[in-house]
Amino acid sequence: QDVAKKGSDIEEGNLILKKGDVLNPGKIGVLLSQGFKTIEVFKKPTVGVISSGNEITMQGEDLPFGKIYDVNGNMIKNDAVSCGADAKFLGVVRDNYDQVKEKILESLKDVDILLCSGGTSAGLGDVIKHVLDELGEVYIHGISVQPGKPTIVGVIDEKLVIGLPGNPVSALMIFNAFVAPPLTEVAGIEKDFEQKVIKGVMSRRIHSPVGRMQYQLVKVNGSEIQPIFKDSGAIFSLSGADGYVKVEKSVELLDEGEEVEVYLFN
């Protein structure tokens, strides 16, 4: 009575864990029970996040006229953490060429991937492309989606630099659609992003620009899919959105009552 027989828990020759398993408390407990003090693990990808913009100030500071609180920095950082990355927010930099260049060079010393939000458009104050052109190579500048057209992707010293749009809705949509899946894979986490898809019918008509894939924020109410008509700077729309509908480039109109697929947020 109250005696565990040898091999009753783990038999000789049993595989305890396989390469690529993600450690959790239960798996760590099994390793400890077998006398393992340390094991070899894959390093998490390190991700740095920078916000750029003359109009940005941090929470806890004064908010002068014409300024806004930074949203993207810690929002994107936490999204990267949920993808299995070791992510950190590296602060805010002004739309100044020398300051952006210095910040990018300094940040790349400590991270594998650098995410910059803002400063990606073609305006005079948007300098990230010019910095990437000088320090490395730009592979993508502008993608045919809405929101998020000014997204930029480049490489400096064999490290990936991704410029996300400055508007928070655009930044989050582009991260979830294009950055999160490969980042999760690099982190060694098996996660099928396509599983979180449901079907429903549109409660209202959506007009979409032909030639650009549109990611339309929506709210799910049973089988009814309600579009959220706000611009990409309307941050409150994120808190009420359950996911988004993809409107293909060739589609100009999704009509009321039409069946659609909704990609749910994590």
Side-chain angles (χ1 to χ4, degrees), residues 14 40 86 88 99 125 196 212 239:
N14 279 170
E40 290 186 352
D86 180 9
K88 49 192 172 184
Q99 291 182 27
K196 298 196 173 184
R212 291 169 66 184
S239 65

Side-chain angles (χ1 to χ4, degrees), residues 236-249:
F236 188 64
S237 63
L238 284 173
S239 65
D242 295 311
Y244 57 90
V245 169
K246 292 181 182 179
V247 186
E248 297 294 333
K249 295 179 182 181

Side-chain angles (χ1 to χ4, degrees), residues 53-222:
N54 297 333
E55 75 283 8
I56 295 175
T57 189
M58 293 302 298
Q59 290 77 11
E61 299 177 359
D62 291 335
L63 189 67
F65 179 79
K67 297 284 187 178
I68 58 173
Y69 288 123
D70 178 61
V71 174
N72 293 351
N74 279 297
M75 178 179 70
I76 298 300
K77 182 210 81 172
N78 282 290
D79 214 345
V81 169
S82 73
C83 293
D86 180 9
K88 49 192 172 184
F89 176 50
L90 301 174
V92 175
V93 62
R94 293 176 60 81
D95 286 326
N96 174 279
Y97 184 89
D98 292 331
Q99 291 182 27
V100 171
K101 176 181 174 181
E102 181 181 354
K103 187 69 173 179
I104 287 177
L105 286 173
E106 175 190 341
S107 302
L108 287 175
K109 295 177 183 177
D110 302 317
V111 301
D112 303 313
I113 301 168
L114 184 63
L115 303 176
C116 308
S117 70
T120 61
S121 298
L124 292 175
D126 299 311
V127 298
I128 288 180
K129 179 184 183 299
H130 302 301
V131 172
L132 283 170
D133 279 332
E134 179 187 343
L135 300 178
E137 185 173 357
V138 175
Y139 286 90
I140 298 169
H141 187 208
I143 54 179
S144 56
V145 301
Q146 182 182 1
K149 180 181 178 182
T151 300
I152 187 168
V153 179
V155 172
I156 299 174
D157 295 333
E158 299 184 347
K159 294 187 176 181
L160 191 63
V161 179
I162 301 174
L164 301 172
N167 282 327
V169 175
S170 300
L172 190 62
M173 293 293 287
I174 292 298
F175 183 92
N176 283 329
F178 296 102
V179 182
L183 179 59
T184 304
E185 185 176 344
V186 170
I189 297 176
E190 294 183 4
K191 186 175 182 180
D192 189 349
F193 284 82
E194 298 302 312
Q195 282 184 343
K196 298 196 173 184
V197 178
I198 64 169
K199 291 185 177 181
V201 294
M202 296 300 302
S203 65
R204 294 179 62 185
R205 175 181 292 182
I206 294 177
H207 291 275
S208 180
V210 175
R212 291 169 66 184
M213 169 83 82
Q214 181 177 0
Y215 291 84
Q216 173 67 53
L217 289 176
V218 296
K219 187 170 182 60
V220 178
N221 184 12

Side-chain angles (χ1 to χ4, degrees), residues 243-263:
Y244 57 90
V245 169
K246 292 181 182 179
V247 186
E248 297 294 333
K249 295 179 182 181
S250 59
V251 176
E252 187 175 5
L253 180 71
L254 281 182
D255 215 342
E256 179 181 345
E258 190 168 341
E259 186 178 69
V260 293
E261 291 185 335
V262 178
Y263 292 78

